[in-house]
């Protein structure tokens, strides 16, 4: 299927400079709808459905959980990690390239941090059995993750029926932000303690693709710390694969 480029580079620059950067600097998060358009977004969705149908998604892991606490009670998604260059991930690769270009335009204007690298993409499915993800911070302990980017893939999502809202509790703000996991929506937010968030129980299959962008210095320092401190396995701070 031909992938029609929806956003010219100028559009991407305008989106980054006029929308994403100002929102990150004031509210700490931003979402945009219609990122890829129906055709390219639909191609990404087809690839994710194919992965799910072929059994490529497995129970998501936890950074470090207290013994005896049942993982599913904390995090109920199934995930797979892709680079986007795998066979059957061409549309996902196109999406990741577009998000890379968007974030690289933003990076120079987000303060003195150097955002130059990112994690692999985490393809996630909340199966719709009421599972969600309890309130958490993606990067509570300076593991290098600076920005979380989540691309949602859910058509005809009805929150009253399906739940699955991502609720962000912006630190120090008097409000919460309820983000519906709608098809072709991209959400960007600071990964650290500024943005505790939860995935509310989902009652329909809920697909998303997440990438984390690293602050190179914080990431390098975290790797040094990780190597030198022989922390017991269960207590280690987890971070997605590079
Ligand atoms: C041990 O290695 C790892 C590697 C990656 C990990 C990723 C998550 C994670 C974090 N946040 C969310 C989330 O907030 N989703 C919001 C939404 O879908 O709207 C999510 O689905 C998954 C948790 C633990 C991990 C451990
Ligand atoms: Mn999270």
């Amino acid at each position: 299927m031909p992938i029609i480029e929806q956003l010219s580079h100028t559009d991407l620059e305008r989106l980054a400079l006029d929308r994403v950067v100002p929102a990150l600097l004031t509210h700490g998060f931003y979402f945009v709808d219609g990122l890829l358009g129906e055709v390219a977004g639909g191609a990404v969705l087809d690839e994710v459905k194919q992965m799910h149908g072929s059994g490529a998604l497995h129970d998501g892991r936890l950074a470090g959980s207290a013994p005896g606490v049942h993982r599913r009670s904390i995090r109920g998604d199934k995930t797979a990690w892709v680079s986007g260059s795998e066979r059957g991930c061409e549309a996902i690769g196109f999406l990741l390239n577009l998000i890379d270009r968007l974030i690289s335009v933003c990076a120079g204007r987000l303060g003195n941090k150097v955002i130059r690298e990112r994690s692999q993409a985490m393809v996630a499915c909340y199966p719709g059995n009421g599972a969600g993800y309890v309130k958490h911070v993606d990067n509570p302990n300076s593991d290098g993750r600076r920005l979380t980017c989540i691309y949602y893939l859910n058509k005809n999502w009805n929150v009253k029926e399906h739940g699955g809202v991502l609720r962000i509790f912006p630190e120090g703000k008097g409000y919460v932000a309820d983000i519906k996991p709608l098809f072709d929506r991209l959400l960007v937010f600071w990964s650290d303690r500024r943005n505790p968030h939860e995935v509310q129980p989902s009652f329909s299959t809920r697909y998303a693709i997440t990438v984390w962008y690293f602050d190179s210095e914080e990431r390098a320092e975290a790797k040094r710390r990780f190597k030198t401190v022989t922390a017991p396995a269960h207590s280690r701070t987890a971070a997605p694969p590079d």
Side-chain angles (χ1 to χ4, degrees):
M1 176 188 291
I3 286 186
I4 304 156
E5 179 134 345
Q6 294 294 320
L7 275 171
S8 70
H9 191 69
T10 318
D11 294 341
L12 217 57
E13 279 192 323
R14 288 276 56 85
L15 175 62
L17 301 178
D18 299 349
R19 301 270 183 264
V20 182
V21 169
L24 282 175
L25 295 177
T26 49
H27 303 294
F29 64 91
Y30 182 75
F31 68 83
V32 55
D33 284 319
L35 184 75
L36 295 186
E38 186 59 37
V39 172
V44 174
L45 175 58
D46 290 345
E47 290 181 354
V48 170
K49 282 180 175 175
Q50 176 59 34
M51 289 175 71
H52 188 200
S54 65
L57 305 186
H58 303 288
D59 281 353
R61 295 168 59 199
L62 280 175
S65 51
V69 174
H70 192 59
R71 186 200 60 78
R72 277 190 179 288
S73 64
I74 297 173
R75 177 187 171 193
D77 56 347
K78 290 181 172 302
T79 60
W81 293 93
V82 297
S83 67
S85 55
E86 298 87 348
R87 193 164 41 81
C89 292
E90 293 76 9
I92 293 174
F94 174 80
L95 166 71
L96 299 181
N97 176 269
L98 192 144
I99 300 174
D100 284 349
R101 290 191 287 130
L102 176 71
I103 297 302
S104 68
V105 175
C106 295
R109 291 161 183 80
L110 289 172
N112 57 354
K113 302 295 178 186
V114 176
I115 297 175
R116 226 193 332 256
E117 47 194 322
R118 65 162 163 78
S119 70
Q120 286 201 319
M122 182 183 76
V123 177
C125 169
Y126 285 85
N129 57 359
Y133 196 158
V134 297
K135 188 175 177 180
H136 65 280
V137 170
D138 283 353
N139 174 14
N141 304 311
S142 303
D143 67 20
R145 286 180 283 176
R146 178 69 54 211
L147 285 174
T148 302
C149 295
I150 308 178
Y151 181 71
Y152 295 109
L153 287 154
N154 307 293
K155 294 187 172 182
N156 311 313
W157 191 269
N158 175 337
V159 165
K160 284 191 178 30
E161 212 181 316
H162 306 138
V165 161
L166 173 73
R167 173 164 288 181
I168 303 177
F169 305 79
E171 188 184 42
K173 304 274 192 341
Y175 59 84
V176 297
D178 283 353
I179 316 286
K180 298 175 184 174
L182 303 182
F183 173 75
D184 203 19
R185 169 171 285 185
L186 177 71
L187 168 67
V188 183
F189 59 91
W190 298 116
S191 307
D192 60 21
R193 292 172 188 265
R194 284 171 280 187
N195 287 316
H197 54 282
E198 66 184 12
V199 179
Q200 295 179 345
S202 301
F203 299 96
S204 183
T205 303
R206 181 188 186 277
Y207 292 122
I209 298 175
T210 303
V211 283
W212 284 274
Y213 287 85
F214 296 112
D215 164 348
S216 303
E217 284 162 28
E218 184 181 306
R219 179 72 172 155
E221 177 51 32
K223 283 182 174 177
R224 276 193 293 276
R225 255 198 351 258
F226 188 80
K227 282 202 177 76
T228 51
V229 176
T230 50
H234 69 276
S235 70
R236 283 187 186 149
T237 310
D242 297 44

